[in-house]
Amino acid sequence: MEYKTLQRAREYEKENGGKIPASDRPVFHMTPYVGWTNDPNGFSYYGGKYHLFYQYNPYDTRWDSMHWGHVVSEDMVKWEYLPAALAPEDEYDSFGCFSGTAMELPDGKHYIIYTGVHKTEDGKEYQQQCIAIGDGTEYHKYEKNPVLTSKDLPKGLSPYDFRDPKVFRDEDGMFRCVVGGKDEKGLGELLLYASSDGFDWHFENIFIANDGEYGCMWECPDFFMMGESAVLLTSPQDMVAKGLDFHSGNGTLCQIGSYDIEGKQFLRHSAQTIDHGIDFYAPQTLKAPDGRRIMIAWMQNWDTCNTSGFRAMPWFGQMTVARELSLKDGKLYQMPVRELENYRKDKIGYKDVEVGGKVTLHGIEGRCLDVIIKVRPADRENVFKRFTMYFAKDASHSSRINFFPGDNVFETDRRLSGSRRANIQQRSCSVRDLGGEIELRVIMDRFSVEVFINGGEQAMTTAILTDPSACEICFECDGKAIMDITKYTLGAEE
Ligand code: FRU
């Protein structure tokens, strides 16, 4: 079959993608070749490379007509653009090829399962699961699509909210997939489907139902085992804030528990936010050939998309750095993939710097950086009240991170970054009480900052759209702190 919409998108990409100068993009964060992106899709290792697809509207920097864009990488840091992989083409996905996942089939083919959306004349959007098979560049939609429709939903679940399949090969050899659904009360349920070949699917069970504690619909499930523990990531809509643990709106949720393969259920033992920053949503994971579990997410959030007053961007939406996941004491930890360290250059370090009032350090500046900071109180009996790092700073702009040891609170704040919008510009999370000590890894690119706190126990990710020429950094303390700092420039900073 001839894919006309895909062809048109590829031609458009060819003509327009190259027009965006590299200096207008982040150095090491993936942005759409042209136009808009939201969720990462089909994050998988295939044919010796990491493949990342993305929700994609090539034609404009706003959400519409979802295609799947496609990039590949040898190291999950440097991404190479491939032609768009999927386009809304057939009746069943004419309104969009929504999110989904990918894996390698036993016969060596690359398998994609995604949500095809079909809009009827009365304006209703039916969501159904579809398959495409490919070789790493060209993907062909399965002739029997859609493979899961409203007929495969348990009674009472909405045919308009049935999306984002996460496929995996299970211990018993079966293909299984977890798909988001919505019940009559508007709450999310994750549904478990099984197949012996990956093509012919049947409903097995409700994997887990949302009792309303964590938002409503659970978008973009991702499920995997880490040792004996089962980990379930989702992106809940309509969350209600709970202290500093969860924030309102579109959030992220990591549930850790066990997988009852006989009972075909997920049993939750604990729950946490995945990333406490302002811009993080819809993470997906893969298992790298060396066994590491790697996560990547949309470095944006539906509640914070309205930032265009900042700066006319030739693209919209970026992905986070890829992150290595681990479990410690029943909690999810994350740190940037170790491959990022290969891009470090121009090391500058200072030890035992006394920070009281404002301090700048020679050579500590820039916008594409990997910075490691260890802070401790100068006087353990009289711990400082606040430690601040300002960055993306010039005479009239700055963003900052704050640590308040008295409350064990960490905060990211971009109120002075130049935004012309009144959406959320500040967010806080609780951190471990270490008597005024804190360890930070701060990853900055031209349009973002990702902070990993105390070895990755918390992460805070925020898009910073201040012009990249704002590159001063300084530190400030209310009280006295002692700081060790190591800074590397990352990649090619023009
Ligand atoms: C999450 C989401 C998914 C959907 C996609 C559509 O950000 O709403 O649930 O598949 O975006 O672009």
Side-chain angles (χ1 to χ4, degrees):
M1 128 156 222
E2 210 192 325
Y3 291 125
K4 286 209 182 94
T5 320
L6 184 64
Q7 227 30 63
R8 187 175 150 237
R10 287 179 166 191
E11 275 156 29
Y12 186 84
E13 285 185 313
K14 238 195 224 153
E15 206 180 310
N16 296 287
K19 287 186 189 158
I20 303 177
S23 56
D24 276 357
R25 294 185 189 269
V27 173
F28 54 95
H29 287 83
M30 207 294 286
T31 45
Y33 192 38
V34 54
W36 158 283
T37 190
N38 52 291
D39 314 349
N41 289 160
F43 187 36
S44 52
Y45 187 79
Y46 176 75
K49 286 191 174 157
Y50 295 96
H51 288 252
L52 177 65
F53 302 85
Y54 52 94
Q55 285 287 278
Y56 182 33
N57 175 19
Y59 303 111
D60 204 343
T61 51
R62 63 183 174 84
W63 188 94
D64 200 2
S65 165
M66 282 294 106
H67 293 55
W68 276 38
H70 191 186
V71 286
V72 286
S73 177
E74 307 257 333
D75 64 0
M76 294 176 283
V77 179
K78 209 175 194 172
W79 296 99
E80 181 194 328
Y81 292 105
L82 291 188
L86 299 177
E89 203 96 40
D90 302 271
E91 198 181 310
Y92 55 82
D93 64 12
S94 52
F95 188 68
C97 302
F98 279 18
S99 287
T101 51
M103 68 184 294
E104 180 168 348
L105 288 178
D107 68 3
K109 300 225 170 72
H110 203 194
Y111 171 96
I112 286 174
I113 183 160
Y114 68 99
T115 301
V117 185
H118 167 64
K119 197 168 183 170
T120 51
E121 272 167 19
D122 53 3
K124 297 215 158 107
E125 293 167 24
Y126 286 88
Q127 304 190 336
Q128 10 199 28
Q129 315 323 314
C130 308
I131 291 170
I133 300 295
D135 61 2
T137 313
E138 301 300 329
Y139 292 82
H140 298 279
K141 293 179 184 170
Y142 180 46
E143 64 276 8
K144 292 194 189 147
N145 277 345
V147 294
L148 286 171
T149 69
S150 57
K151 291 196 210 78
D152 304 291
L153 281 168
K155 204 168 160 280
L157 267 79
S158 159
Y160 320 120
D161 291 285
F162 179 33
R163 60 182 178 271
D164 309 336
K166 163 71 186 189
V167 70
F168 59 99
R169 199 77 195 266
D170 216 334
E171 262 172 34
D172 58 3
M174 292 294 277
F175 291 83
R176 287 210 163 73
C177 90
V178 177
V179 192
K182 199 191 244 183
D183 69 13
E184 285 143 327
K185 288 189 237 128
L187 296 176
E189 288 188 6
L190 296 184
L191 311 169
L192 187 68
Y193 293 86
S195 166
S196 55
D197 59 1
F199 293 86
D200 191 10
W201 289 94
H202 61 271
F203 174 73
E204 275 198 325
N205 202 11
I206 294 174
F207 197 47
I208 179 172
N210 174 10
D211 58 9
E213 194 176 353
Y214 302 105
C216 295
M217 172 87 186
W218 285 350
E219 296 193 305
C220 302
D222 195 276
F223 172 70
F224 52 91
M225 296 300 295
M226 275 193 130
E228 293 301 299
S229 298
V231 182
L232 180 60
L233 310 181
T234 57
S235 295
Q237 297 178 313
D238 308 302
M239 295 275 281
V240 174
K242 268 197 197 179
L244 295 184
D245 292 340
F246 294 94
H247 60 76
S248 294
N250 280 80
T252 54
L253 175 67
C254 167
Q255 303 180 75
I256 301 173
S258 52
Y259 173 34
D260 170 10
I261 190 167
E262 313 280 277
K264 305 185 173 25
Q265 276 186 67
F266 175 86
L267 305 164
R268 174 171 70 225
H269 302 156
S270 68
Q272 67 181 88
T273 283
I274 304 172
D275 185 301
H276 294 269
I278 302 174
D279 300 293
F280 183 96
Y281 199 67
Q284 280 202 352
T285 71
L286 59 69
K287 193 170 183 183
D290 60 7
R292 287 176 298 163
R293 178 60 57 175
I294 314 282
M295 173 178 77
I296 198 160
W298 186 32
M299 195 153 56
Q300 199 60 60
N301 186 296
W302 290 111
D303 292 326
T304 63
C305 279
N306 185 19
T307 48
S308 51
F310 262 104
R311 188 175 189 269
M313 306 291 270
W315 47 267
F316 186 88
Q318 6 171 17
M319 299 301 164
T320 63
V321 284
R323 303 173 181 184
E324 292 180 21
L325 300 182
S326 56
L327 292 183
K328 275 181 216 157
D329 307 325
K331 282 189 77 180
L332 184 79
Y333 278 61
Q334 54 193 296
M335 284 300 270
V337 282
R338 61 199 67 171
E339 286 85 342
L340 191 62
E341 292 162 30
N342 298 333
Y343 293 81
R344 286 172 167 176
K345 57 183 193 185
D346 305 335
K347 177 177 177 182
I348 296 184
Y350 292 91
K351 265 197 168 318
D352 302 327
V353 180
E354 197 179 288
V355 187
K358 269 202 173 136
V359 170
T360 53
L361 295 167
H362 182 71
I364 306 289
E365 59 182 10
R367 278 294 281 277
C368 302
L369 305 176
D370 187 344
V371 189
I372 299 144
I373 300 174
K374 288 184 189 166
V375 175
R376 56 190 186 278
D379 176 358
R380 303 234 170 225
E381 303 304 313
N382 183 18
V383 175
F384 58 90
K385 292 195 173 55
R386 171 181 51 86
F387 173 87
T388 298
M389 175 183 174
Y390 294 87
F391 56 93
K393 182 173 159 7
D394 62 15
S396 42
H397 305 102
S398 65
S399 289
R400 56 182 163 156
I401 46 179
N402 295 313
F403 170 44
F404 302 97
D407 297 325
N408 296 308
V409 165
F410 193 85
E411 181 185 65
T412 185
D413 179 347
R414 61 169 183 203
R415 277 175 300 174
L416 300 179
S417 64
S419 172
R420 294 178 192 276
R421 292 288 166 268
N423 53 16
I424 288 280
Q425 309 291 3
Q426 208 179 357
R427 198 155 267 159
S428 305
C429 70
S430 301
V431 294
R432 192 182 279 266
D433 184 353
L434 295 170
E437 291 189 19
I438 197 160
E439 200 178 314
L440 307 173
R441 173 109 181 259
V442 183
I443 304 293
M444 288 166 57
D445 199 342
R446 287 195 181 112
F447 306 106
S448 60
V449 61
E450 293 164 272
V451 187
F452 300 87
I453 304 165
N454 293 330
E457 191 170 0
Q458 286 82 26
M460 279 198 128
T461 296
T462 303
I464 302 285
L465 301 185
T466 316
D467 191 275
S469 61
C471 62
E472 293 164 28
I473 291 178
C474 81
F475 303 91
E476 187 182 51
C477 190
D478 181 356
K480 258 196 192 121
I482 307 293
M483 169 177 79
D484 297 339
I485 179 167
T486 308
K487 180 218 95 170
Y488 303 87
T489 299
L490 281 175
E493 194 175 15
E494 275 112 296

